[in-house]
Amino acid sequence: MQLAHGQAVASFEKDVLYRLWVADRGGVYVPADEKTPPSPYLSHIKERDITTPGGKRLTLVNGAYMTRQVHELGRQIFETKAHITSLKPIREANAPDPWERQALESFARGSKEFSSIEEMKGKHYYRFMRPLITDEKCLKCHAKHGYKVGDIRGGISVSIPMEPLWAAGRGSIVAISVGHFVLWGLGLATLFGLSRRLRAQMAQREHAENELGESERRLDYLANYDSLTHLPNRALFHDRLVQALLRARRSKKMLALLFIDLDHFKNINDSLGHAKGDLLIQAVAARLAGCMREDDTVARLGGDEFAVIMENVEDASGAGAIARKIIQTVSSPVHLDDRELYVGASIGISLYPTDGMDAGMLVMNADTAMYLAKERGRGNYQFFTGELNSKLERNLVLENGLHSVLERNELVLYFQPKMDIHSRRVIGSEALLRWQHPELGMIPPLDFVPLAETNGMIVPIGEWVLRAACLQNKAWQDAGHPGLSVAVNLSARQLRQPDLVATVGAILKETGLTADSLELEITESMMMENPEACIEKLKLIRALGVGISIDDFGTGHSSLRYLT
């Protein structure tokens, strides 16, 4: 019975892993043929069938389709039967038999598994069944059938033939009986030898079974827990969040989700190495666990990111109090090998039900709030708000529009004059970039330049600004205003481009503007990111004859040595 149960559990877990693997990838494509024709249950998916450049026809299969084919192969090779079934079957072939219906009804009452020995077509089988719980990945195929996250949408029944196992048991009994007969015949000496051998076989078998059980336990642990901190990993965190939301929905209680990201952890990894970084992560994980209640879940999502699920929260202030406690605890020094290491924590908080009704929305909103905490100076916590969501939606519109802003010719340059106070004469100008968005109107650079820095569009946009400013200044000079200069701001990403000097020289040559009529502005904080490399690049630009000025002076803590 134990062997049969172990085989059944292994078969079920293997099937679930297949389904999760396929669902996580949105389905897999396989050659379409008689064995695997296109699934009529995926006809609502536009790209169900595709043709490769080589002319091969592929069709999309979901987890259930693939699992059914694996079941058929298992039945042919190992005589192990498995069946996907439900009280609301989509296919007629998935309808439950009486035993399966009894199991499914027990799941609805809260049972976790169902098993018994049953006779099927004259043979005895160990029948085993566990439920299938709907999660986010399942909704691609099952949402249209009315399933929601957390619903029991059916189960997988596994049938293990008992005859081979009983035969093994009878063989053991026969072997022992023959051994007894020989023992009586050959005397005590033979009895000693055979009993010693039998004990060795039994010990070997017990050892093998123990190793198998230990391997299964270790696989289960590795699949659900982080090996460094021994906290729940991302997969187990998601499962616990789904279950916590179900409990919160039933009890009408508030739930808080905290996303925690360590501040400046990368600096420690880069300077002291990953081994020290791992020790620091372990220390932080222990501190986080010490801050929480016994029923709360602390998980490590990866890298220096952690998450906390707090159930039965009375109000938002309770989550805020825990966030303050975490920030204070994490920020105290960590002692490693006679070193004091300091890290901080930025925390984003989302609340059920105000900030989301499902796990995906709560995770996304907590992550968004965490990045707001980083933007506001790190070492603080932020709640998700509707205004933050509006800002995100606006940023998404801007980021999507940035990719084609040059092709649509939506960028505009304004020029702020520079005047000589004594002569009251305009001696130059500074180019100011604006974006004339077709829907949002005139957008200042502070709203879109950071987004362009992130997605890389700042490099072509910066080249456009430099070229347009030089062309305009050259036109003013040709119109009878000699000696005018134009100042153009450089972004941090432009300054890091290896071909910046060549680009500046090429644009001056292309526009015909003399180098002494161009001035490049960089912020002091940009220069201080890597002052030595920055100075070398500025020397090359200065060698072209181009002027250089420092913007936002006094904010980057530069020394007099660097200023000279």
Side-chain angles (χ1 to χ4, degrees):
M1 287 290 287
Q2 289 176 344
L3 288 174
H5 182 75
Q7 290 182 24
V9 170
S11 177
F12 173 84
E13 291 179 346
K14 172 198 66 180
D15 290 345
V16 171
L17 286 176
Y18 287 161
R19 295 167 71 88
L20 286 176
W21 186 88
V22 175
D24 189 48
R25 287 150 181 80
V28 296
Y29 285 96
V30 300
D33 53 24
E34 293 181 357
K35 291 183 178 179
T36 311
S39 172
Y41 303 102
L42 299 182
S43 58
H44 64 285
I45 297 177
K46 182 179 179 182
E47 296 182 344
R48 181 193 68 177
D49 303 305
I50 62 173
T51 303
T52 68
K56 193 169 187 176
R57 187 178 174 218
L58 302 178
T59 187
L60 183 70
V61 299
N62 59 11
Y65 200 171
M66 187 191 77
T67 306
R68 285 197 300 274
Q69 295 215 348
V70 172
H71 289 169
E72 177 59 24
L73 193 61
R75 184 188 65 79
Q76 295 173 3
I77 299 176
F78 303 112
E79 293 189 26
T80 298
K81 300 178 181 179
H83 183 224
I84 305 170
T85 186
S86 171
L87 292 175
K88 298 188 294 183
I90 299 172
R91 300 168 61 249
E92 184 178 346
N94 292 125
D97 62 22
W99 184 91
E100 291 170 334
R101 178 174 295 278
Q102 185 181 0
L104 291 170
E105 290 172 350
S106 75
F107 297 153
R109 296 190 298 269
S111 298
K112 301 301 182 182
E113 66 180 40
F114 195 84
S115 64
S116 65
I117 292 181
E118 302 290 330
E119 184 176 349
M120 299 166 59
K121 295 183 179 180
K123 295 184 178 181
H124 288 86
Y125 289 85
Y126 178 79
R127 301 202 69 182
F128 172 88
M129 191 170 181
R130 280 183 180 174
L132 292 174
I133 308 298
T134 304
D135 62 18
E136 289 286 344
K137 301 181 184 67
C138 307
L139 296 181
K140 179 177 180 181
C141 296
H142 291 280
K144 70 175 186 176
H145 299 294
Y147 288 105
K148 304 184 297 298
V149 173
D151 287 349
I152 297 175
R153 66 179 187 277
I156 299 178
S157 68
V158 181
S159 300
I160 305 297
M162 291 300 297
E163 187 56 39
L165 300 176
W166 285 338
R170 289 193 297 270
S172 298
I173 294 172
V174 170
I176 293 172
S177 300
V178 171
H180 283 190
F181 178 78
V182 173
L183 287 174
W184 281 107
L186 298 180
L188 292 177
T190 306
L191 174 62
F192 175 78
L194 290 179
S195 63
R196 182 178 177 182
R197 180 180 177 184
L198 183 58
R199 283 196 303 272
Q201 289 176 341
M202 293 177 66
Q204 185 178 6
R205 178 176 176 178
E206 182 179 0
H207 178 70
E209 290 177 350
N210 290 338
E211 282 192 340
L212 178 61
E214 182 61 31
S215 297
E216 290 177 349
R217 286 190 292 273
R218 178 163 178 77
L219 284 173
D220 180 69
Y221 183 85
L222 292 175
N224 293 289
Y225 290 88
D226 174 54
S227 59
L228 180 63
T229 63
H230 306 296
L231 295 176
N233 62 14
R234 186 180 292 271
L236 184 55
F237 157 77
H238 183 270
D239 180 68
R240 288 191 178 179
L241 179 58
V242 170
Q243 298 302 319
L245 284 171
L246 291 175
R247 289 190 291 271
R249 195 170 293 128
R250 286 195 296 266
S251 63
K252 294 181 170 50
K253 294 283 189 178
M254 181 179 287
L255 178 146
L257 177 61
L258 283 66
F259 256 44
I260 305 164
D261 189 86
L262 301 186
D263 298 330
H264 308 300
F265 175 73
K266 184 177 184 298
N267 296 340
I268 294 175
N269 253 357
D270 292 344
S271 59
L272 300 181
H274 289 276
K276 290 290 190 297
D278 287 348
L279 292 175
L280 182 60
I281 288 291
Q282 289 175 329
V284 170
R287 290 182 176 184
L288 289 176
C291 290
M292 308 313 300
R293 302 169 301 182
E294 186 176 349
D295 294 337
D296 296 331
T297 292
V298 181
R300 184 190 181 203
L301 304 184
D304 60 344
E305 290 187 346
F306 296 85
V308 172
I309 303 170
M310 295 177 58
E311 299 187 56
N312 298 319
V313 178
E314 293 296 330
D315 51 37
S317 62
I322 291 296
R324 289 192 296 272
K325 182 179 180 181
I326 290 173
I327 292 171
Q328 181 179 4
T329 302
V330 171
S331 62
S332 61
V334 177
H335 298 275
L336 293 178
D337 298 337
D338 299 327
R339 285 180 179 269
E340 280 193 350
L341 302 181
Y342 292 85
V343 290
S346 298
I347 303 176
I349 306 173
S350 63
L351 302 172
Y352 167 86
T354 55
D355 300 332
M357 299 297 292
D358 58 54
M361 186 60 68
L362 282 176
V363 167
M364 182 177 70
N365 291 342
D367 194 41
T368 299
M370 184 266 290
Y371 278 102
L372 177 63
K374 285 191 173 293
E375 288 178 8
R376 294 186 175 178
R378 304 174 188 267
N380 67 93
Y381 67 91
Q382 297 292 328
F383 285 92
F384 180 81
T385 63
E387 291 79 7
L388 182 57
N389 191 46
S390 299
K391 179 183 177 183
L392 284 175
E393 291 176 355
R394 187 172 188 268
N395 284 348
L396 182 60
V397 172
L398 294 179
E399 190 167 2
N400 290 335
L402 277 173
H403 291 284
S404 54
V405 69
L406 293 176
E407 290 80 355
R408 294 198 302 263
N409 198 27
E410 294 173 356
L411 295 179
V412 181
L413 280 188
Y414 284 76
F415 292 88
Q416 177 173 283
K418 294 182 178 180
M419 298 192 69
D420 185 309
I421 295 299
H422 298 292
S423 65
R424 297 179 179 274
R425 185 173 60 87
V426 175
I427 59 174
S429 64
E430 178 179 358
L432 305 176
L433 179 62
R434 301 290 185 271
W435 179 5
Q436 184 63 54
H437 195 280
E439 299 172 5
L440 303 178
M442 190 67 75
I443 301 173
L446 282 178
D447 287 357
F448 69 88
V449 167
L451 297 175
E453 284 269 11
T454 302
N455 66 15
M457 280 300 296
I458 194 65
V459 175
I461 288 175
E463 290 186 18
W464 180 90
V465 171
L466 185 59
R467 182 176 289 104
C470 289
L471 282 171
Q472 181 61 68
N473 200 49
K474 175 63 174 167
W476 282 331
Q477 291 181 357
D478 292 344
H481 304 282
L484 291 180
S485 66
V486 64
V488 178
N489 288 283
L490 284 182
S491 72
R493 191 151 184 168
Q494 281 179 283
L495 193 59
R496 290 194 294 267
Q497 291 296 113
D499 60 346
L500 174 62
V501 179
T503 299
V504 173
I507 290 177
L508 287 173
K509 184 177 180 181
E510 174 189 337
T511 60
L513 187 69
T514 57
D516 60 357
S517 298
L518 175 64
E519 184 179 288
L520 298 180
E521 289 190 6
I522 64 170
T523 64
E524 184 184 2
S525 56
M526 281 165 48
M527 189 184 78
M528 293 309 298
E529 286 182 6
N530 189 351
E532 302 295 347
C534 180
I535 288 172
E536 290 304 314
K537 190 165 292 185
L538 294 181
K539 285 180 179 178
L540 296 174
I541 293 176
R542 197 72 186 89
L544 295 175
V546 175
I548 296 169
S549 62
I550 297 180
D551 202 3
D552 296 337
F553 174 66
T555 63
H557 312 294
S558 57
S559 68
L560 292 176
R561 180 170 70 88
Y562 286 132
L563 287 176
T564 56

